[in-house]
Amino acid sequence: MNGEGDDDQRGYRVVRNDEEQYSIWPADRDLPLGWHAEGTTGTRTECLDHIGRVWTDMRPASLRRRMEQAEQVTGAV
């Protein structure tokens, strides 16, 4: 059997890139370039639940910074 549910008990870790975007990655595999372990490990479901709690702003970090700078310059709220 080779369905998605088969991997649910496999070990995963939560990873984050420099843009503060989150994903999950199999714990037994090397991380792809540009991604860093966030510190949370568990089943696929546990990791996805964690991401759902902590990743509340889906905008990339660079976009958030540009928007904050634009607000400071224009005085917009």
Side-chain angles (χ1 to χ4, degrees), residues 3 17 36 38 56-57 60 64 67 75 77:
N17 64 19
H36 314 280
E38 178 261 7
T56 58
D57 189 340
R64 291 194 314 266
M67 292 177 75
V77 177

Side-chain angles (χ1 to χ4, degrees), residues 37-53:
E38 178 261 7
T40 302
T41 59
T43 65
R44 181 178 192 276
T45 300
E46 291 167 338
C47 289
L48 291 174
D49 287 346
H50 174 74
I51 290 171
R53 287 189 302 274

Side-chain angles (χ1 to χ4, degrees), residues 8-26:
D8 194 55
Q9 296 307 310
R10 180 177 173 183
Y12 287 89
R13 60 181 143 184
V14 176
V15 295
R16 186 174 62 201
N17 64 19
D18 292 337
E19 286 289 343
E20 299 178 3
Q21 297 167 313
Y22 288 82
S23 188
I24 63 171
W25 195 253

Side-chain angles (χ1 to χ4, degrees), residues 26-39:
D28 60 347
R29 292 183 57 198
D30 291 338
L31 294 178
L33 292 177
W35 291 87
H36 314 280
E38 178 261 7

